[in-house]
Amino acid sequence: MVNYKDLGLVNTREMFKRAVAGGYAIPAFNFNTMEQMQAIVMAAVETKSPVIMQVSKGARNYANATILRYMAEGAVAYAKELGCEHPEIVLHLDHGDSFELCKDCIDMGFSSVMIDGSSLPYEENIALAKKVVDYAHQFDVTVEAELGVLAGVEDEVVAAESHYTKPEEVIDFATRTGCDSLAISIGTSHGAHKFTPEQCTLVNGVLVPPPLAFDVLHEIEKKLPGFPIVLHGSSSVPMDEVNTINQFGGHLEAAIGIPEEQLREASKSAVCKINIDSDSRLAMTAAIRKHLAEHPGDFDPRQYLKPARENMKKMYIHKIVNVLGSDGKLAIK
Ligand code: 13P
C-alpha cells in the first residue's frame, strides 16, 4: 500500500474549492507516454498551474500500471527540478469501471479516482459510487462520480447516445454517495468526432456545433451551490492539427470538437475540472506526421518525438492560459 502523500501528489479537494471560487478550471490531461507526461509537467510549471494527470483503464493496460504510477511520482520530482518548489499534481483514475479497479489505484498511490457508474441504473450507480467513496476517504483520496451519459468513445468507454444529467437528481446523488465532484453530461462527448456535420451550422465556412446545455449546468449549480462539477469530452479538436494530419498522409474526416469559447464560459462556473485527451493525441500525431514527411530518412524516435512533445506542450499551455484560466493559481508560488 502506497499513499499518494508519500509521492508528493495532492488530492483535488483544495484546488477545486479555489477553482470554483475563482471562476477557473483545472486541466485534466490524459497521458500514457513519457512525452505526454513531460509536456504536461513542463506546461504546468511554466504557467504555475495546478494540474490533474489522468490515466484510463486502457492507458494502464497500454503502459503498465506500475510504470504509470512511477511516472506520476517522477512528474513531481521533475516539476521540482524545473524550478517549481510546490507543484500541485493529482494522479487521477479516469473512468474507473469497478470498485476493484478504484481500490487498486488507491492502493498504488493515486490521489483521486473516478468511478463511472453512469451506464448503470440510478440506484446501482449510487451504491457503487458510495462503496468507492467509503474506501477512498479512509486515505483522503477524492472521488469523482458521474450522472448522465456522454456519447463517444474513450478507450473502452463507448456510448452511442448522450443523456443530459437530470438536475432534479443531483442533490440526492451527491448527498447519498458523498462524492467530492460530479461529472455531468451537457452536450460534450468523447473523441475527435463529437458531432456530425449535419448537427452543425456552417458559419463563414466553419462547421459550428450546437451549444452546450448551459441551462442544465446552471440548474445543477443552483441545486448544488459551490459543488465541484466536471466536464468530460472537452477537446476542441483544433482544425490546424487536423489539417496537418490530413496534409501529411492522414485521413481524419469530419473531426469536430467543442468550441473553446464555450469551455471558457464553462470554466467561469462551478465547472472546475475539464478533461482533455483527444487534443493531445491530435497534437502528437500532427507533429510526428509532419516531421516524418519532411524528414523521410529519420528513424531515431527522438527526432520525431521531440517536436511532438513541443507541440503538445504548446497546446497544454494554450489551454491553461487561454481557455481554463488556471495559470498562476498554485497555492504557493
Ligand atoms: P476528449 O476526447 O474530448 O479529449 O475527452 C477526454 C475525456 O473526457 C477523458 O475522460
Side-chain angles (χ1 to χ4, degrees):
M1 170 95 202
V2 187
N3 189 279
Y4 68 89
K5 291 176 188 169
D6 297 329
L7 308 180
L9 298 161
V10 297
N11 68 20
T12 57
R13 195 167 293 118
E14 290 306 313
M15 66 171 71
F16 281 177
K17 218 183 268 176
R18 299 195 318 261
V20 173
Y24 60 91
I26 309 291
F29 298 130
N30 289 69
F31 80 108
N32 43 66
T33 74
M34 183 186 75
E35 287 75 15
Q36 284 176 311
M37 182 276 266
Q38 291 171 317
I40 293 169
V41 174
M42 287 190 280
V45 168
E46 267 185 40
T47 57
K48 298 186 170 43
S49 173
V51 72
I52 297 169
M53 297 181 52
Q54 56 186 16
V55 296
S56 62
K57 186 175 163 184
R60 291 182 99 220
N61 290 342
Y62 170 79
N64 177 278
T66 307
I67 289 177
L68 281 178
R69 203 281 272 163
Y70 280 102
M71 278 167 79
E73 188 175 355
V76 176
Y78 183 41
K80 289 186 180 169
E81 191 184 308
L82 291 175
C84 180
E85 271 184 65
H86 302 282
E88 288 177 63
I89 299 178
V90 174
L91 177 61
H92 175 77
L93 169 68
D94 192 23
H95 291 290
D97 61 357
S98 67
F99 171 77
E100 290 70 26
L101 176 58
C102 292
K103 178 180 181 304
D104 193 43
C105 288
I106 293 164
D107 293 351
M108 277 186 101
F110 280 57
S111 55
S112 174
V113 292
M114 174 192 194
I115 177 69
D116 181 359
S118 60
S119 60
L120 298 172
Y122 183 71
E123 286 298 328
E124 285 175 41
N125 188 359
I126 289 187
L128 179 59
K130 179 165 171 24
K131 190 172 173 190
V132 172
V133 168
D134 286 347
Y135 185 75
H137 282 182
Q138 294 176 65
F139 308 101
D140 205 18
V141 169
T142 39
V143 179
E144 173 186 327
E146 178 164 336
L147 251 189
V149 178
L150 265 73
V153 182
E154 169 72 13
D155 285 341
E156 283 132 35
V157 183
V158 183
E161 275 181 48
S162 74
H163 302 282
Y164 288 168
T165 306
K166 295 181 187 143
E168 62 275 20
E169 288 180 348
V170 296
I171 297 178
D172 182 59
F173 186 84
T175 313
R176 287 172 58 200
T177 60
C179 65
D180 301 281
S181 59
L182 182 65
I184 61 165
S185 172
I186 56 166
T188 61
S189 66
H190 292 120
H193 300 86
K194 300 187 189 302
F195 304 95
T196 61
E198 295 72 42
Q199 289 173 300
C200 303
T201 323
L202 197 61
V203 181
N204 300 329
V206 178
L207 286 171
V208 179
L212 298 180
F214 280 100
D215 52 336
V216 175
L217 170 61
H218 294 142
E219 272 302 297
I220 292 170
E221 281 187 290
K222 263 191 240 156
K223 304 262 182 204
L224 290 175
F227 195 82
I229 300 297
V230 176
L231 280 192
H232 281 246
S234 296
S235 278
S236 52
V237 188
M239 267 312 114
D240 54 343
E241 304 294 7
V242 173
N243 290 340
T244 303
I245 289 172
N246 288 338
Q247 183 188 342
F248 294 105
H251 187 70
L252 274 183
E253 265 187 277
I256 300 168
I258 309 294
E260 288 186 337
E261 311 80 72
Q262 296 198 28
L263 297 169
R264 211 172 285 129
E265 190 180 336
S267 301
K268 292 181 186 144
S269 70
V271 169
C272 62
K273 171 176 182 270
I274 290 196
N275 286 13
I276 296 170
D277 187 0
S278 298
D279 284 355
S280 166
R281 297 174 178 190
L282 291 167
M284 186 175 209
T285 303
I288 292 174
R289 278 195 179 277
K290 181 170 189 295
H291 182 91
L292 289 177
E294 290 174 349
H295 306 85
D298 281 359
F299 65 95
D300 178 343
R302 289 172 296 185
Q303 289 167 316
Y304 53 86
L305 290 176
K306 198 170 169 203
R309 189 171 62 193
E310 274 308 305
N311 205 33
M312 287 189 286
K313 177 184 161 192
K314 198 173 95 195
M315 184 277 291
Y316 292 137
I317 290 179
H318 165 70
K319 296 288 176 184
I320 289 171
V321 175
N322 301 318
V323 184
L324 310 188
S326 63
D327 50 312
K329 299 296 195 297
L330 285 175
I332 306 172
K333 288 174 190 102

